Amino acid sequence: MVYNQSCLDSYIDIRYTGRRPSDSELRPSATLKAGEANYVKDFDSGRNRWGDYSGVAIDPANPTRTWMYSEYASSPANTWGTWFGEIIARDQGDVNDDGDVNVGDVVALVDIILERVTPDPVTAAISDCNRDNALDIGDVVCQVDVILGGSSSTLVASLTPAAGQRVGAARLGLESSGSAPEERTVLLEAEVGSGVAGVQARLAYDPGRVRLGTPELGPRATGFNLVYRDDGDELVLLVYDASGQALAGGDGAIVKLPVRLVGSFRQDEDLGLELREVLFAFKGGAVVPAKLVRSNLTTLPLEFRLSNAYPNPLVTGRGTKLDLEIPEALGPELSGGSSRQASGAVRVVADVYNVRGQRIRRLMDIYLMPGSHTLEWDGRNDRGESVGTGLYVLRLQAGSFGATRKLIVPGR
C-alpha cells in the first residue's frame, strides 16, 4: 500500500508498506518520496485539500516488481508534485520467500522444475535466475553461482555459451545383462566440453515393456547431485553440483539407469525407452540443448553393426567417433571361434591406416561384451603425433565380423 504522511517535523511525503504471505502484520513503512515544502491550499473550500489520488499496480511484464505513485508537497511552498516509484517484492533467487538466498532456494527451485510444486507468478519470476523465461537446469546452475557470490542477483545469462565452451552430443547406451537375463543398465552418455555445470534430461518409456530402477550417477558425474521425477511413463533427471563445480570435459556416462524387461523380448526389439531432450547448463546459467545421436535402444542387437564416423571430417581437438554394436547370441560363424571368451565377450581389433596401407594407429585390441560401444580416434598416430591432412581408413575386426570406414582429416 502507498499513502501520505505529515507531522510537525516533516512535510507531506509518500510512504509505502506491505507484507508477505507469511507475515502476520505489515512491515515497517519506508519513504518513497520526502516532502519538500509546506502546503496550505483550500481552493476556497475552507479546508486544506489533499490526497486526491494514489495507486499501486504489479508490473504486468515482471510480477516481482510493484509500481506505485502518489502526490507529495513539492517546492516552492503550496505546490504539489507526482512521484512514481518501483519496489522489488523479493530478492531475485529467494524462491522459498524466507528473506535470504541460500541452498534452501536451490531445493525449492528443483521442486518447481520437477513439477512437485506449482509456483505462483511472483515465485516463477523469482525462480528464473538466468532470465531466459524458462525454468530448467540453467536456473539451478545460476542460483548456485549467486549463492556462492560468483554473480549478482541481477545476473542475466547469455543464451549462448561463451567462447571456448563446446556443446556436445548425448545418447543412450546399454550395458550387457546383469545377474538375470531380463536385467539391463541404460546409460545416459554425453560428450561435454569445459564449463558444463548441469544436465537435464527427459526420457519417455513404456511401463508395459520396462520397469525402471533407481537412477545412479555415472562416472562422468561422480560427486554431483542427482534428483529425478518419475511419472510412470516419463522420467526427468537433473544433475548439478551445489558447490558450483563443472563436469570434467570428455565423453562418458552421466547417469546409469537400471531397467528390467517385462515379458518376452526378441533380440533387437525396441526397448520401449526414448531419450527426448537433454539440456546442458554452462557456468552462469546459459542453457543449450544437446544434439541427440542415439535416442532409442533395442534389447541387444541381432547382428554386428559399425556406424559411420561422426563428425567426419574430424574436428580439431575433438577427433571422431564410431558406434559398434555387438550381438548377444553368436554362433561359431560370427564369434570367430576362440575369439569369444566364455563370459560372452568378443575380441575387437580396430586400426587406422593411411592411403598407402600403412597402419598408423591401433585404437583397440580388447574383449568387449555384447551391447553398444563407442570407438574414438583423436587424429593422432601411435607416437601421439597429429597426422597430416587427407583420407584414412579404419579397419575393425570383431570375431569373424569385419568392416572398414573412411575417415577424413581436414586441413589445419
Side-chain angles (χ1 to χ4, degrees), residues 235-265:
L235 180 70
V236 179
L237 301 160
L238 298 180
V239 176
Y240 68 96
D241 181 41
S243 65
Q245 298 299 311
L247 293 168
D251 196 0
I254 293 177
V255 176
K256 302 176 71 173
L257 179 62
V259 301
R260 178 178 289 271
L261 308 184
V262 178
S264 59
F265 271 79

mmCIF file of all heavy atoms in Angstrom, residues 235-265:
data_model
loop_
_atom_site.group_PDB
_atom_site.id
_atom_site.type_symbol
_atom_site.label_atom_id
_atom_site.label_comp_id
_atom_site.label_asym_id
_atom_site.label_seq_id
_atom_site.Cartn_x
_atom_site.Cartn_y
_atom_site.Cartn_z
ATOM 1 N N LEU A 235 10.482 -39.901 -17.334
ATOM 2 C CA LEU A 235 11.485 -39.685 -16.297
ATOM 3 C C LEU A 235 12.228 -38.395 -16.604
ATOM 4 O O LEU A 235 12.725 -38.205 -17.712
ATOM 5 C CB LEU A 235 12.468 -40.864 -16.260
ATOM 6 C CG LEU A 235 13.587 -40.806 -15.215
ATOM 7 C CD1 LEU A 235 13.016 -40.980 -13.809
ATOM 8 C CD2 LEU A 235 14.642 -41.876 -15.495
ATOM 9 N N VAL A 236 12.298 -37.496 -15.608
ATOM 10 C CA VAL A 236 13.056 -36.251 -15.741
ATOM 11 C C VAL A 236 14.219 -36.293 -14.758
ATOM 12 O O VAL A 236 14.023 -36.576 -13.568
ATOM 13 C CB VAL A 236 12.172 -35.023 -15.462
ATOM 14 C CG1 VAL A 236 12.991 -33.741 -15.577
ATOM 15 C CG2 VAL A 236 11.000 -34.983 -16.431
ATOM 16 N N LEU A 237 15.423 -36.028 -15.246
ATOM 17 C CA LEU A 237 16.642 -36.107 -14.437
ATOM 18 C C LEU A 237 17.318 -34.740 -14.391
ATOM 19 O O LEU A 237 17.402 -34.046 -15.411
ATOM 20 C CB LEU A 237 17.625 -37.114 -15.048
ATOM 21 C CG LEU A 237 17.134 -38.559 -15.203
ATOM 22 C CD1 LEU A 237 17.982 -39.284 -16.231
ATOM 23 C CD2 LEU A 237 17.179 -39.293 -13.872
ATOM 24 N N LEU A 238 17.808 -34.360 -13.208
ATOM 25 C CA LEU A 238 18.621 -33.156 -13.055
ATOM 26 C C LEU A 238 19.938 -33.549 -12.394
ATOM 27 O O LEU A 238 19.948 -34.242 -11.373
ATOM 28 C CB LEU A 238 17.919 -32.120 -12.178
ATOM 29 C CG LEU A 238 16.589 -31.537 -12.643
ATOM 30 C CD1 LEU A 238 16.092 -30.531 -11.620
ATOM 31 C CD2 LEU A 238 16.721 -30.886 -14.002
ATOM 32 N N VAL A 239 21.041 -33.100 -12.975
ATOM 33 C CA VAL A 239 22.372 -33.359 -12.431
ATOM 34 C C VAL A 239 23.062 -32.014 -12.257
ATOM 35 O O VAL A 239 23.193 -31.245 -13.222
ATOM 36 C CB VAL A 239 23.197 -34.270 -13.371
ATOM 37 C CG1 VAL A 239 24.610 -34.455 -12.829
ATOM 38 C CG2 VAL A 239 22.512 -35.622 -13.548
ATOM 39 N N TYR A 240 23.497 -31.716 -11.036
ATOM 40 C CA TYR A 240 24.157 -30.443 -10.767
ATOM 41 C C TYR A 240 25.037 -30.610 -9.535
ATOM 42 O O TYR A 240 24.974 -31.624 -8.833
ATOM 43 C CB TYR A 240 23.137 -29.322 -10.536
ATOM 44 C CG TYR A 240 22.331 -29.468 -9.268
ATOM 45 C CD1 TYR A 240 22.703 -28.801 -8.095
ATOM 46 C CD2 TYR A 240 21.216 -30.291 -9.220
ATOM 47 C CE1 TYR A 240 21.978 -28.954 -6.926
ATOM 48 C CE2 TYR A 240 20.484 -30.452 -8.055
ATOM 49 C CZ TYR A 240 20.870 -29.774 -6.916
ATOM 50 O OH TYR A 240 20.160 -29.939 -5.756
ATOM 51 N N ASP A 241 25.853 -29.597 -9.261
ATOM 52 C CA ASP A 241 26.741 -29.629 -8.103
ATOM 53 C C ASP A 241 26.503 -28.384 -7.264
ATOM 54 O O ASP A 241 26.630 -27.260 -7.757
ATOM 55 C CB ASP A 241 28.204 -29.694 -8.551
ATOM 56 C CG ASP A 241 29.162 -29.761 -7.367
ATOM 57 O OD1 ASP A 241 28.846 -30.474 -6.405
ATOM 58 O OD2 ASP A 241 30.199 -29.082 -7.409
ATOM 59 N N ALA A 242 26.141 -28.568 -6.002
ATOM 60 C CA ALA A 242 25.830 -27.435 -5.125
ATOM 61 C C ALA A 242 27.049 -26.600 -4.780
ATOM 62 O O ALA A 242 26.915 -25.486 -4.270
ATOM 63 C CB ALA A 242 25.174 -27.940 -3.840
ATOM 64 N N SER A 243 28.252 -27.121 -5.065
ATOM 65 C CA SER A 243 29.459 -26.340 -4.801
ATOM 66 C C SER A 243 29.930 -25.563 -6.020
ATOM 67 O O SER A 243 30.973 -24.920 -5.992
ATOM 68 C CB SER A 243 30.589 -27.254 -4.313
ATOM 69 O OG SER A 243 30.981 -28.172 -5.320
ATOM 70 N N GLY A 244 29.155 -25.636 -7.109
ATOM 71 C CA GLY A 244 29.468 -24.825 -8.285
ATOM 72 C C GLY A 244 30.493 -25.425 -9.220
ATOM 73 O O GLY A 244 30.972 -24.736 -10.122
ATOM 74 N N GLN A 245 30.835 -26.697 -9.054
ATOM 75 C CA GLN A 245 31.820 -27.325 -9.929
ATOM 76 C C GLN A 245 31.215 -27.660 -11.286
ATOM 77 O O GLN A 245 30.002 -27.811 -11.428
ATOM 78 C CB GLN A 245 32.360 -28.598 -9.278
ATOM 79 C CG GLN A 245 33.082 -28.369 -7.962
ATOM 80 C CD GLN A 245 34.300 -27.480 -8.122
ATOM 81 O OE1 GLN A 245 35.138 -27.692 -8.997
ATOM 82 N NE2 GLN A 245 34.391 -26.461 -7.279
ATOM 83 N N ALA A 246 32.058 -27.781 -12.295
ATOM 84 C CA ALA A 246 31.638 -28.184 -13.638
ATOM 85 C C ALA A 246 32.033 -29.635 -13.883
ATOM 86 O O ALA A 246 32.944 -30.166 -13.241
ATOM 87 C CB ALA A 246 32.265 -27.277 -14.694
ATOM 88 N N LEU A 247 31.329 -30.274 -14.791
ATOM 89 C CA LEU A 247 31.675 -31.639 -15.174
ATOM 90 C C LEU A 247 33.043 -31.663 -15.850
ATOM 91 O O LEU A 247 33.422 -30.719 -16.545
ATOM 92 C CB LEU A 247 30.638 -32.200 -16.139
ATOM 93 C CG LEU A 247 29.228 -32.440 -15.600
ATOM 94 C CD1 LEU A 247 28.268 -32.714 -16.754
ATOM 95 C CD2 LEU A 247 29.207 -33.601 -14.624
ATOM 96 N N ALA A 248 33.760 -32.739 -15.638
ATOM 97 C CA ALA A 248 35.022 -32.915 -16.347
ATOM 98 C C ALA A 248 34.732 -33.092 -17.832
ATOM 99 O O ALA A 248 33.823 -33.826 -18.214
ATOM 100 C CB ALA A 248 35.775 -34.125 -15.792
ATOM 101 N N GLY A 249 35.479 -32.391 -18.670
ATOM 102 C CA GLY A 249 35.261 -32.495 -20.106
ATOM 103 C C GLY A 249 35.588 -33.886 -20.617
ATOM 104 O O GLY A 249 36.429 -34.600 -20.078
ATOM 105 N N GLY A 250 34.882 -34.295 -21.661
ATOM 106 C CA GLY A 250 35.125 -35.607 -22.247
ATOM 107 C C GLY A 250 33.825 -36.343 -22.499
ATOM 108 O O GLY A 250 32.743 -35.775 -22.479
ATOM 109 N N ASP A 251 33.949 -37.638 -22.736
ATOM 110 C CA ASP A 251 32.801 -38.464 -23.096
ATOM 111 C C ASP A 251 32.633 -39.565 -22.061
ATOM 112 O O ASP A 251 33.608 -40.133 -21.563
ATOM 113 C CB ASP A 251 33.023 -39.078 -24.478
ATOM 114 C CG ASP A 251 31.742 -39.625 -25.074
ATOM 115 O OD1 ASP A 251 30.689 -39.518 -24.405
ATOM 116 O OD2 ASP A 251 31.789 -40.150 -26.197
ATOM 117 N N GLY A 252 31.392 -39.878 -21.710
ATOM 118 C CA GLY A 252 31.147 -40.954 -20.772
ATOM 119 C C GLY A 252 29.743 -40.904 -20.215
ATOM 120 O O GLY A 252 28.932 -40.049 -20.577
ATOM 121 N N ALA A 253 29.456 -41.852 -19.316
ATOM 122 C CA ALA A 253 28.119 -41.984 -18.745
ATOM 123 C C ALA A 253 27.914 -40.964 -17.628
ATOM 124 O O ALA A 253 28.705 -40.885 -16.693
ATOM 125 C CB ALA A 253 27.905 -43.393 -18.218
ATOM 126 N N ILE A 254 26.840 -40.191 -17.718
ATOM 127 C CA ILE A 254 26.470 -39.233 -16.675
ATOM 128 C C ILE A 254 25.495 -39.867 -15.692
ATOM 129 O O ILE A 254 25.577 -39.631 -14.484
ATOM 130 C CB ILE A 254 25.868 -37.974 -17.308
ATOM 131 C CG1 ILE A 254 26.948 -37.238 -18.114
ATOM 132 C CG2 ILE A 254 25.289 -37.039 -16.258
ATOM 133 C CD1 ILE A 254 26.446 -36.030 -18.845
ATOM 134 N N VAL A 255 24.574 -40.675 -16.197
ATOM 135 C CA VAL A 255 23.591 -41.352 -15.352
ATOM 136 C C VAL A 255 23.484 -42.807 -15.774
ATOM 137 O O VAL A 255 23.534 -43.116 -16.976
ATOM 138 C CB VAL A 255 22.197 -40.677 -15.451
ATOM 139 C CG1 VAL A 255 21.156 -41.451 -14.641
ATOM 140 C CG2 VAL A 255 22.260 -39.236 -14.977
ATOM 141 N N LYS A 256 23.346 -43.689 -14.786
ATOM 142 C CA LYS A 256 23.103 -45.110 -15.028
ATOM 143 C C LYS A 256 21.703 -45.434 -14.521
ATOM 144 O O LYS A 256 21.356 -45.116 -13.387
ATOM 145 C CB LYS A 256 24.150 -45.970 -14.316
ATOM 146 C CG LYS A 256 25.577 -45.651 -14.730
ATOM 147 C CD LYS A 256 26.596 -46.441 -13.937
ATOM 148 C CE LYS A 256 26.564 -47.909 -14.329
ATOM 149 N NZ LYS A 256 27.669 -48.671 -13.682
ATOM 150 N N LEU A 257 20.912 -46.084 -15.360
ATOM 151 C CA LEU A 257 19.514 -46.360 -15.041
ATOM 152 C C LEU A 257 19.238 -47.858 -15.147
ATOM 153 O O LEU A 257 19.152 -48.405 -16.257
ATOM 154 C CB LEU A 257 18.604 -45.585 -15.995
ATOM 155 C CG LEU A 257 17.107 -45.777 -15.821
ATOM 156 C CD1 LEU A 257 16.658 -45.305 -14.447
ATOM 157 C CD2 LEU A 257 16.347 -45.032 -16.918
ATOM 158 N N PRO A 258 19.099 -48.555 -14.005
ATOM 159 C CA PRO A 258 18.759 -49.981 -14.060
ATOM 160 C C PRO A 258 17.343 -50.166 -14.613
ATOM 161 O O PRO A 258 16.422 -49.444 -14.223
ATOM 162 C CB PRO A 258 18.840 -50.428 -12.599
ATOM 163 C CG PRO A 258 19.599 -49.345 -11.890
ATOM 164 C CD PRO A 258 19.304 -48.078 -12.633
ATOM 165 N N VAL A 259 17.184 -51.113 -15.522
ATOM 166 C CA VAL A 259 15.858 -51.423 -16.056
ATOM 167 C C VAL A 259 15.652 -52.929 -16.029
ATOM 168 O O VAL A 259 16.601 -53.710 -16.055
ATOM 169 C CB VAL A 259 15.676 -50.901 -17.500
ATOM 170 C CG1 VAL A 259 15.870 -49.406 -17.569
ATOM 171 C CG2 VAL A 259 16.625 -51.598 -18.458
ATOM 172 N N ARG A 260 14.401 -53.320 -15.952
ATOM 173 C CA ARG A 260 14.024 -54.738 -16.010
ATOM 174 C C ARG A 260 13.010 -54.898 -17.134
ATOM 175 O O ARG A 260 11.979 -54.218 -17.159
ATOM 176 C CB ARG A 260 13.436 -55.207 -14.686
ATOM 177 C CG ARG A 260 12.971 -56.664 -14.679
ATOM 178 C CD ARG A 260 12.442 -57.045 -13.318
ATOM 179 N NE ARG A 260 13.519 -57.152 -12.355
ATOM 180 C CZ ARG A 260 14.198 -58.276 -12.125
ATOM 181 N NH1 ARG A 260 13.910 -59.383 -12.792
ATOM 182 N NH2 ARG A 260 15.145 -58.291 -11.216
ATOM 183 N N LEU A 261 13.308 -55.799 -18.061
ATOM 184 C CA LEU A 261 12.410 -56.042 -19.181
ATOM 185 C C LEU A 261 11.180 -56.789 -18.685
ATOM 186 O O LEU A 261 11.278 -57.696 -17.859
ATOM 187 C CB LEU A 261 13.117 -56.849 -20.262
ATOM 188 C CG LEU A 261 14.474 -56.293 -20.749
ATOM 189 C CD1 LEU A 261 15.006 -57.127 -21.889
ATOM 190 C CD2 LEU A 261 14.351 -54.844 -21.165
ATOM 191 N N VAL A 262 10.015 -56.397 -19.193
ATOM 192 C CA VAL A 262 8.750 -57.022 -18.805
ATOM 193 C C VAL A 262 8.284 -57.919 -19.940
ATOM 194 O O VAL A 262 8.176 -57.479 -21.087
ATOM 195 C CB VAL A 262 7.680 -55.955 -18.495
ATOM 196 C CG1 VAL A 262 6.355 -56.616 -18.137
ATOM 197 C CG2 VAL A 262 8.146 -55.043 -17.378
ATOM 198 N N GLY A 263 7.983 -59.183 -19.619
ATOM 199 C CA GLY A 263 7.527 -60.116 -20.636
ATOM 200 C C GLY A 263 8.681 -60.619 -21.477
ATOM 201 O O GLY A 263 9.859 -60.508 -21.121
ATOM 202 N N SER A 264 8.351 -61.192 -22.621
ATOM 203 C CA SER A 264 9.370 -61.754 -23.507
ATOM 204 C C SER A 264 9.784 -60.733 -24.555
ATOM 205 O O SER A 264 8.956 -59.965 -25.052
ATOM 206 C CB SER A 264 8.836 -63.013 -24.196
ATOM 207 O OG SER A 264 7.671 -62.700 -24.951
ATOM 208 N N PHE A 265 11.068 -60.734 -24.871
ATOM 209 C CA PHE A 265 11.617 -59.817 -25.867
ATOM 210 C C PHE A 265 12.368 -60.613 -26.918
ATOM 211 O O PHE A 265 13.127 -61.545 -26.593
ATOM 212 C CB PHE A 265 12.585 -58.818 -25.217
ATOM 213 C CG PHE A 265 11.929 -57.567 -24.726
ATOM 214 C CD1 PHE A 265 11.241 -57.549 -23.526
ATOM 215 C CD2 PHE A 265 12.013 -56.409 -25.470
ATOM 216 C CE1 PHE A 265 10.644 -56.396 -23.075
ATOM 217 C CE2 PHE A 265 11.411 -55.236 -25.021
ATOM 218 C CZ PHE A 265 10.730 -55.226 -23.825
#
